Amino acid sequence: MIKWNIQLVSGIILLAFFVLIGLFGSYIAPYPPDYKMKVGYMETDNGTEFVAPPLAPSKEFLLGTDKWGKDILSLILHGAKYTVFTVLIVAAVRLLAGGIAGVFGGLTASGKKRGKQGRITLLTSIPPVILIYFIMLGININPSLSSFALIFIQGVLMAALGVPGVYNVVYSKTAEIKENLYIMASVTLGGNKSHLLKKHIWPILKGDFIILYLNETIQVLHLMGQLAIFNLFFGGTEFQPDFSIYLSMTNEWSGLIGQSRSFLSYSQWILIYPLIAFILFLLSFYLISQGLSQQSRKSHRKNTYI
């Protein structure tokens, strides 16, 4: 009888749903991203009334509207592609660059060389949010660059600053695996580095790479959320000095949350629905990570002789 790993299956289904939303969200959104409801007298269930945003969830606006009359559901759907694919791509670049460098670094390092790893650890001790904040501050608010250019710059920064952390983890793991007696025996029998990597190291590392990728996606999401607290929204921030408000130019989810913080005490739907989408997306990676870890532990228990 097949025993389903509930966490793993739930996480995969949830992530697949968000990928589909990222792909087709803009096509199924009820309104375009720049749509604003008309303000004026309208026929309602209570007769003719003056209607002005923000509007609570209703049949016309399923998740309500924001202060400017924009449909919350449409904003979430239009912003999904920036949130979903940024996280997936940045985490993949981090893993590829740091992972490949870490594997070959650990494979070729001697005992003395391994001690120099601390130089990169010093770089990882600086929180990426601080570096990105000061680099992006001058170009991200009321930008002269296009949203695409800002996305590219911030994406490169988020990927580059995550590479040293991935490198350190993969380097240490590779060096640890290399110390096993059966690998030393393989070296003694003439096995070259390519043989060691293909036959001994990669089969062990590949499971860790999946877990590491999921952890990186979670870290990228955290980073986007931290930057949004400082009004640095992914793809550009529109600042309106007359009202001291900051608006996301791409409607990515951390930006929608950041620009709606002041609505926590009233019109809560403006904040809550983007927040739910962000948390569920985060939860999908957490569930997959936990499910894979659980599966790995079961596998080890079944093969205790290894």
Side-chain angles (χ1 to χ4, degrees), residues 35-291:
Y35 169 83
K36 292 181 182 178
M37 62 159 288
K38 292 181 180 176
V39 179
Y41 288 93
M42 297 181 187
E43 289 295 328
T44 66
D45 295 338
N46 300 320
T48 303
E49 288 183 324
F50 183 78
V51 178
L55 297 184
S58 63
K59 288 181 181 177
E60 186 176 3
F61 302 105
L62 290 178
L63 303 185
T65 73
D66 64 11
K67 182 181 176 181
W68 299 273
K70 293 186 175 182
D71 179 41
I72 300 292
L73 175 60
S74 298
L75 294 181
I76 292 173
L77 290 172
H78 285 294
K81 56 181 174 290
Y82 298 106
T83 312
V84 173
F85 296 114
T86 296
V87 170
L88 295 176
I89 292 171
V90 169
V93 173
R94 282 180 169 200
L95 186 71
L96 278 176
I100 292 171
V103 165
F104 285 98
L107 199 59
T108 57
S110 62
K112 278 186 178 178
K113 197 175 175 182
R114 230 173 285 154
K116 296 180 180 178
Q117 187 196 0
R119 293 177 183 177
I120 291 181
T121 305
L122 182 62
L123 178 61
T124 58
S125 65
I126 302 172
V129 65
I130 293 177
L131 294 172
I132 295 176
Y133 175 79
F134 285 110
I135 293 172
M136 296 298 297
L137 184 61
I139 59 174
N140 202 69
I141 297 178
N142 288 338
S144 55
L145 298 173
S146 67
S147 288
F148 178 79
L150 292 171
I151 287 170
F152 179 77
I153 293 170
Q154 189 170 330
V156 169
L157 286 172
M158 289 195 297
L161 291 173
V163 167
V166 175
Y167 171 86
N168 282 340
V169 172
V170 176
Y171 177 99
S172 300
K173 185 70 179 175
T174 305
E176 181 186 331
I177 296 170
K178 212 174 73 172
E179 297 297 324
N180 284 309
L181 290 176
Y182 66 91
I183 293 185
M184 292 182 181
S186 181
V187 173
T188 306
L189 292 172
N192 58 22
K193 288 183 172 56
S194 173
H195 174 80
L196 296 181
L197 178 62
K198 187 177 177 183
K199 294 293 182 184
H200 301 300
I201 294 177
W202 177 245
I204 299 174
L205 271 184
K206 63 182 179 184
D208 293 328
F209 263 59
I210 298 173
I211 300 289
L212 195 55
Y213 176 70
L214 294 168
N215 289 338
E216 289 304 311
T217 57
I218 292 170
Q219 286 192 27
V220 173
L221 269 174
H222 285 168
L223 186 54
M224 291 174 69
Q226 290 166 357
L227 289 168
I229 292 174
F230 297 106
N231 298 315
L232 281 180
F233 306 141
F234 193 68
T237 301
E238 179 188 346
F239 175 57
Q240 297 183 358
D242 293 340
F243 306 100
S244 293
I245 56 174
Y246 296 85
L247 299 173
S248 170
M249 296 176 68
T250 59
N251 300 314
E252 54 87 17
W253 296 344
S254 60
L256 291 179
I257 295 168
Q259 72 181 29
S260 307
R261 282 173 291 163
S262 59
F263 294 97
L264 184 61
S265 55
Y266 63 97
S267 304
Q268 289 88 354
W269 62 86
I270 299 175
L271 171 65
I272 286 176
Y273 289 117
L275 185 61
I276 289 174
F278 190 86
I279 291 174
L280 286 177
F281 186 45
L282 184 64
L283 182 65
S284 68
F285 295 114
Y286 178 79
L287 287 173
I288 295 174
S289 176
Q290 290 299 305

